[in-house]
Amino acid sequence: MLSIQNVKLQFGSLPVLDNVCYCFHKNQVYTLSGGNGAGKTTLFNVISGFLKPNSGDILFQNRNITKLPPYRINRIGIGRTFQDLRLAMHLTAIENVLLASSHKMFEHYTEEHLEKAHHILNRVSLEDKANACAGEISYGQQKLLTLACLLANNAELLLIDEPVAGIDKSNLMKIVDLVSELKAEGKTIIQIEHHPDYIVATNDVLIKMENGKIIC
Ligand SMILES: Nc1ncnc2c1ncn2[C@@H]1O[C@H](COP(=O)(O)OP(=O)(O)OP(=O)(O)O)[C@@H](O)[C@H]1O
Ligand SMILES: [Mg+2]
């Protein structure tokens, strides 16, 4: 489904992705692990088009996406969350979900859109925060809201950066269930995570990164 071919990226003289090669298959849950600075988030940035590699190619469903801008990569089916959230903090939770569900920023939304957005907030246990400003809910709730936005975007391949960081145990179990449901719906998931119990409960294939390389 997603093929990373000889991808190299340097920041100045620092090699951050060092000839990364990997094939991700449909309907599996992959977990990227590895220490701080290993290059995990950078790999997400390259797959989703936010950073361009110095060399190498990325193929999604046999199409070369290496040079496409992020919005086009998203439209062809790759969605992501951000380690640093990137919510519209001055908008409400439901407005963030509506925004993520549409390609047109100022499109008028219908009752059906609104109903779907409430359903998604319910799936991540944020129904009671629908009308709260994203900037005013807790960090854990903001993390859940990034997952709601990802669901609203309805991509096939989901890149999830540290979904359970800052999440309490009961919500962690909900995210375990959510990831299982997404897999049952046929989605492919690549997640970055360090939490051992969460990894055991969700993972199919564990990938280790070190110094910009995939080592197993
Ligand atoms: N925009 C940037 N400019 C310069 N260096 C960067 C940039 N983004 C990342 N780096 C560097 O690239 C390396 C890999 O960073 P990356 O964020 O991919 O690590 P990570 O594996 O996600 O780590 P963490 O577990 O801490 O999130 C680090 O040395 C980081 O400082
Ligand atoms: Mg990171």
Side-chain angles (χ1 to χ4, degrees), residues 1 25 71 125 130-132 180 201 212:
M1 177 184 221
H25 298 289
Y71 78 93
S125 311
N131 296 315
S180 308

Side-chain angles (χ1 to χ4, degrees), residues 35-37 39-42 83 161-162 192 194:
N36 297 124
K40 307 178 298 294
T41 296
T42 304
Q83 192 170 1
D161 203 340
E162 304 205 7
I192 297 170
H194 306 282

Side-chain angles (χ1 to χ4, degrees), residues 26-62:
K26 193 173 159 49
N27 203 204
Q28 294 283 292
V29 177
Y30 294 87
T31 305
L32 274 182
S33 70
N36 297 124
K40 307 178 298 294
T41 296
T42 304
L43 185 59
F44 273 17
N45 285 334
V46 165
I47 296 169
S48 55
F50 286 81
L51 288 172
K52 296 299 168 196
N54 298 111
S55 59
D57 287 297
I58 298 158
L59 274 65
F60 177 62
Q61 292 168 335
N62 298 320

Side-chain angles (χ1 to χ4, degrees), residues 45-111:
N45 285 334
V46 165
I47 296 169
S48 55
F50 286 81
L51 288 172
K52 296 299 168 196
N54 298 111
S55 59
D57 287 297
I58 298 158
L59 274 65
F60 177 62
Q61 292 168 335
N62 298 320
R63 174 175 178 184
N64 195 326
I65 61 166
T66 321
K67 294 195 167 76
L68 297 183
Y71 78 93
R72 289 202 46 209
I73 293 176
N74 179 247
R75 282 185 195 176
I76 62 175
I78 302 180
R80 69 169 295 181
T81 66
F82 291 89
Q83 192 170 1
D84 57 359
L85 306 172
R86 302 200 198 182
L87 295 164
M89 293 296 183
H90 57 291
L91 298 182
T92 64
I94 195 99
E95 284 168 344
N96 271 272
V97 174
L98 286 165
L99 203 55
S101 68
S102 171
H103 290 152
K104 295 182 194 134
M105 203 172 227
F106 299 109
E107 187 179 53
H108 287 294
Y109 54 81
T110 62
E111 271 304 309

